[in-house]
């Protein structure tokens, strides 16, 4: 991994030359994934999976803090269950993979490999929920799902992917709506506080909502190429599945009533978001709170007396302080190691050599700004911990500034087109709310509605496209 004249890693395609190729180069060269023998399915290697483990761990803590508990449901779903909610089955039919034979025998009923778990979970809820005393049911499942995708890209869209899906049952419409919005807030806070990714929270259009939901909320992020990435969704399912699966409970007033439900989910797509929000020409740039290695120690002139011993001492100190640290004592030059750890996006690099030891100091290099400075060895664990927090805050602020600079307000169709064609980012505009208009905008420009944000802004009284009375301000963008 020699460097080019500009100090960047060779073979990584520049972002401004081919962003898609840059993304693939970074994932492969950082050793995050490999391609499998199954079309559309990826092998998540140790470094990539380490990021997912940290996401899972910290997100799971937030779910439990809001009263949710984990459960697990079967991978295979009988065909008759999938067909019980008409809108749902229609929405997922093109993506479903079927198992029709077990061993040497043809199955009496085909089984689908779960594209999502509403149907199999609802079949259980119809048995578990009998009284208002059984409510609310607050559960989450960590699992894999399979959707037969025609076009795939690692982390962003693969046939099989890892995710979490929350499924809850409530006694009233109001409780279900409160849950739907609360969990979207959990997602938004997580994106900001852990992934250092600013997101826009809002409601999906009728056309873009989840199949079988009354309405869908989303958190949307801007990538470095100006495209949007849906980072997570939360759905108010109303009573649609409850009526299809006969989920009824005896209420306090003695009346038998249908329950109200929600579902919400995020996936390994978040890792793709991390790469495309923070990465640069040197490779990955990982937010400290999900970096498998937060600080790497690189001995300089390791053959000289005392250097490896001091490096080991620093490793023990940082590890003892709860910092995810690695000591790189491989037989490679320091420059080679610097280059590799920059490619892998490690937030902090600690360099220690004979001169540093004499001065009682070390060099700390930040991956977010590529700045390097000397720091005392005394209380180095506190210095590194504070630096990790500063890096997170800077990465979040940088991403937010970038999004704001590439978000445009349009009060006319001419301004809308200018924002799409010249701005290469998000466009905010008033919209009539009609699906026919939404489809016409997509056909003309290639952009889709992303969300109607909770924080509405009045940009006029009429739809930017068709001129009919406007119902809401909407974010539009090209997307992944």
């Amino acid at each position: 991994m020699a460097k080019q004249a500009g100090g960047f890693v060779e073979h990584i395609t520049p972002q401004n030359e081919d962003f898609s190729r840059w993304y693939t180069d970074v994932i492969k060269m950082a050793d995050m994934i490999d391609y499998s023998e199954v079309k559309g399915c990826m092998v998540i290697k140790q470094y990539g999976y380490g990021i997912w483990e940290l996401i899972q761990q910290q997100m799971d803590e937030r779910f439990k803090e809001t009263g949710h508990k984990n459960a697990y449901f079967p991978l295979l779903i009988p065909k008759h269950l999938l067909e019980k909610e008409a809108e749902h089955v229609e929405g997922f039919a093109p993506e479903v993979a079927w198992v029709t034979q077990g061993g040497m025998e043809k199955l009496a009923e085909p089984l689908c490999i779960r594209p999502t778990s509403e149907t199999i979970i609802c079949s259980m809820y119809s048995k578990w929920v009998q009284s208002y005393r059984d409510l609310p049911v607050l559960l989450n499942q960590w699992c894999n799902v399979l959707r037969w995708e025609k076009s795939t890209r690692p982390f962003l869209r693969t046939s099989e992917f890892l995710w979490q899906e929350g499924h809850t049952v409530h006694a009233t419409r109001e409780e279900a709506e409160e849950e739907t919005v609360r969990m979207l807030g959990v997602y938004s806070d997580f994106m900001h506080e852990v992934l250092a990714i600013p997101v826009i929270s809002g409601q999906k259009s009728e056309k873009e909502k989840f199949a079988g939901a009354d309405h869908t909320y989303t958190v949307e992020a801007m990538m470095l190429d100006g495209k949007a990435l849906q980072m997570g969704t939360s759905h108010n399912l109303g009573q649609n599945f409850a009526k299809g699966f006969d989920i009824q409970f005896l209420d306090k007033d003695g009346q038998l009533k249908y329950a109200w439900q929600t579902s919400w989910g995020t996936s390994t797509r978040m890792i793709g978001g991390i790469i495309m929000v923070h990465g640069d020409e040197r490779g990955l740039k990982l937010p400290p709170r999900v970096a498998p290695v937060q600080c790497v120690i690189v001995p300089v002139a390791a053959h000289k007396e005392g250097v490896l011993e001091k490096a080991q001492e620093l490793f023990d100190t940082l590890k003892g302080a709860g910092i995810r640290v690695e000591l790189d004592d491989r037989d490679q030059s320091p420059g080679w190691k610097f280059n590799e750890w920059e490619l892998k996006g490690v937030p902090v690099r600690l360099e220690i050599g004979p001169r540093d030891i004499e001065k009682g100091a070390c060099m700390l290099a930040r991956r977010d700004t590529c700045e390097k400075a000397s720091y005392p060895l005394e209380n180095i664990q506190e210095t590194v911990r504070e630096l990790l927090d500063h890096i997170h805050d800077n990465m979040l602020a940088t991403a937010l500034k970038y999004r704001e600079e590439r978000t445009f307000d349009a009060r006319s169709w001419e301004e809308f087109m200018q924002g799409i064609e010249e701005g290469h980012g998000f466009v905010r505009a008033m919209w009539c709310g009609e699906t026919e208009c939404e489809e016409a905008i997509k056909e003309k420009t290639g952009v889709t509605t992303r969300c109607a944000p909770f924080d509405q802004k009045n940009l006029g009284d009429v739809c930017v496209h068709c001129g009919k009375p406007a119902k809401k301000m909407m974010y539009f963008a090209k997307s992944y």
Side-chain angles (χ1 to χ4, degrees):
M1 280 188 279
K3 290 185 179 180
Q4 293 178 333
F8 300 143
V9 180
E10 278 192 73
H11 307 307
I12 291 183
T13 304
Q15 290 181 356
N16 58 7
E17 180 180 312
D18 187 336
F19 190 82
S20 178
R21 181 69 185 179
W22 166 84
Y23 176 80
T24 304
D25 288 348
V26 167
I27 288 176
K28 283 289 291 177
M29 292 186 69
D31 204 29
M32 300 178 76
I33 66 104
D34 203 348
Y35 296 99
S36 76
E37 294 293 325
V38 183
K39 185 179 181 296
C41 295
M42 64 178 173
V43 175
I44 307 176
K45 298 186 75 174
Q46 296 94 317
Y47 197 63
Y49 198 81
I51 298 171
W52 178 243
E53 284 182 312
L54 289 163
I55 287 174
Q56 185 180 30
Q57 177 190 85
Q58 296 173 75
M59 190 170 274
D60 199 62
E61 290 175 358
R62 285 165 166 76
F63 295 161
K64 288 183 170 64
E65 286 172 0
T66 50
H68 301 81
K69 295 181 180 179
N70 290 328
Y72 187 80
F73 294 83
L75 171 70
L76 300 175
I77 302 173
K79 183 179 180 182
H80 77 272
L81 288 183
L82 195 67
E83 294 176 339
K84 279 196 171 186
E85 210 290 322
E87 185 181 349
H88 182 72
V89 69
E90 182 181 353
F92 277 99
E95 301 176 341
V96 173
W98 293 98
V99 176
T100 58
Q101 184 170 314
M104 301 303 292
E105 296 183 9
K106 185 175 181 179
L107 301 180
E109 179 183 15
L111 302 171
C112 85
I113 300 174
R114 62 177 169 228
T116 181
S117 298
E118 276 76 8
T119 54
I120 190 71
I121 290 176
C122 286
S123 70
M124 296 293 102
Y125 284 162
S126 65
K127 296 193 294 185
W128 298 346
V129 176
Q130 301 295 325
S131 163
Y132 70 89
R133 295 183 181 90
D134 300 324
L135 301 175
V137 180
L138 306 175
L139 68 79
N140 175 67
Q141 174 175 231
W142 293 95
C143 65
N144 62 339
V145 294
L146 185 70
R147 297 178 183 177
W148 211 252
E149 298 283 0
K150 294 181 180 179
S151 178
T152 60
R153 184 176 297 175
F155 293 119
L156 298 178
R157 190 175 296 277
T158 50
S159 295
E160 181 191 17
F161 56 91
L162 306 180
W163 78 345
Q164 58 75 210
E165 47 181 323
H167 296 270
T168 69
V169 190
H170 306 269
T172 68
R173 179 198 301 269
E174 291 74 22
E175 289 176 11
E177 178 67 6
E178 182 182 351
E179 165 78 1
T180 310
V181 175
R182 174 172 58 246
M183 297 317 295
L184 191 79
V186 170
Y187 287 162
S188 177
D189 290 346
F190 179 82
M191 308 297 175
H192 286 80
E193 295 170 8
V194 178
L195 306 186
I197 296 178
V199 293
I200 299 163
S201 301
Q203 185 173 345
K204 284 288 191 184
S205 69
E206 191 69 16
K207 178 178 180 294
E208 296 290 332
K209 74 176 184 180
F210 178 73
D214 275 4
H215 51 260
T216 290
Y217 298 115
T218 181
V219 280
E220 302 279 332
M222 180 186 285
M223 306 298 102
L224 284 169
D225 62 350
K227 289 184 179 179
L229 185 69
Q230 180 178 286
M231 298 285 287
T233 49
S234 185
H235 318 288
N236 187 327
L237 302 178
Q239 294 179 314
N240 300 324
F241 285 90
K243 291 178 178 178
F245 286 82
D246 196 30
I247 305 171
Q248 297 189 71
F249 67 97
L250 193 66
D251 206 353
K252 294 177 182 178
D253 59 9
Q255 298 295 310
L256 198 61
K257 299 177 181 178
Y258 285 107
W260 300 82
Q261 293 177 258
T262 80
S263 68
W264 28 274
T266 57
S267 73
T268 38
R269 169 177 277 213
M270 288 185 286
I271 299 177
I274 291 169
I275 297 164
M276 293 195 294
V277 168
H278 300 304
D280 61 15
E281 307 296 84
R282 299 173 186 264
L284 291 177
K285 193 185 291 185
L286 293 179
R289 291 162 195 171
V290 291
V293 180
Q294 293 175 308
C295 177
V296 60
I297 300 172
V298 179
V300 178
H303 61 285
K304 294 195 175 180
E305 184 179 356
V307 172
L308 282 177
E309 290 79 3
K310 177 57 72 172
Q312 182 64 51
E313 180 185 323
L314 290 169
F315 172 85
D316 294 339
T317 298
L318 294 178
K319 185 175 181 181
I323 295 167
R324 294 187 293 276
V325 60
E326 185 160 327
L327 170 57
D328 190 348
D329 57 0
R330 293 175 295 171
D331 186 21
Q332 299 283 358
S333 70
W336 190 94
K337 294 176 184 180
F338 297 167
N339 208 41
E340 182 180 55
W341 291 111
E342 285 182 356
L343 171 62
K344 286 180 168 289
V346 172
V348 175
R349 184 177 72 245
L350 187 157
E351 303 167 17
I352 186 75
R355 293 181 182 177
D356 301 305
I357 295 171
E358 287 178 10
K359 294 186 291 187
C362 65
M363 299 297 293
L364 294 181
R366 295 174 54 153
R367 178 63 182 89
D368 62 327
T369 61
C370 297
E371 296 172 330
K372 186 161 72 170
S374 179
Y375 290 85
L377 290 178
E378 186 178 1
N379 293 323
I380 190 63
Q381 66 273 30
E382 293 301 324
T383 301
V384 171
R385 189 180 286 113
E386 290 175 7
L387 191 55
L388 291 170
D389 286 339
H390 288 320
I391 290 171
H392 172 91
D393 293 344
N394 181 60
M395 291 178 71
L396 178 61
T398 300
L400 179 59
K401 181 175 182 289
Y402 185 84
R403 190 189 76 193
E404 290 177 342
E405 289 174 348
R406 298 186 71 167
T407 299
F408 307 90
D409 290 338
R411 292 174 172 80
S412 67
W413 184 245
E414 290 74 21
E415 290 181 354
F416 186 94
M417 291 299 296
Q418 185 178 0
I420 295 298
E421 295 175 357
E422 299 178 16
H424 303 291
F426 290 0
V427 174
R428 289 183 297 218
M430 303 306 292
W431 179 54
C432 63
E434 295 184 10
T435 299
E436 184 179 353
C437 179
E438 182 178 5
E439 290 175 342
I441 293 173
K442 181 179 179 180
E443 185 176 347
K444 291 178 181 179
T445 66
V447 306
T448 56
T449 56
R450 303 317 305 162
C451 70
F454 295 138
D455 185 16
Q456 283 281 303
K457 182 178 181 181
N458 189 351
L459 298 174
D461 299 322
V462 299
C463 175
V464 72
H465 175 253
C466 68
K468 292 180 180 179
K471 291 184 178 178
K472 61 192 76 175
M473 188 267 282
M474 180 68 74
Y475 275 85
F476 296 84
K478 294 181 179 180
S479 66
Y480 286 94

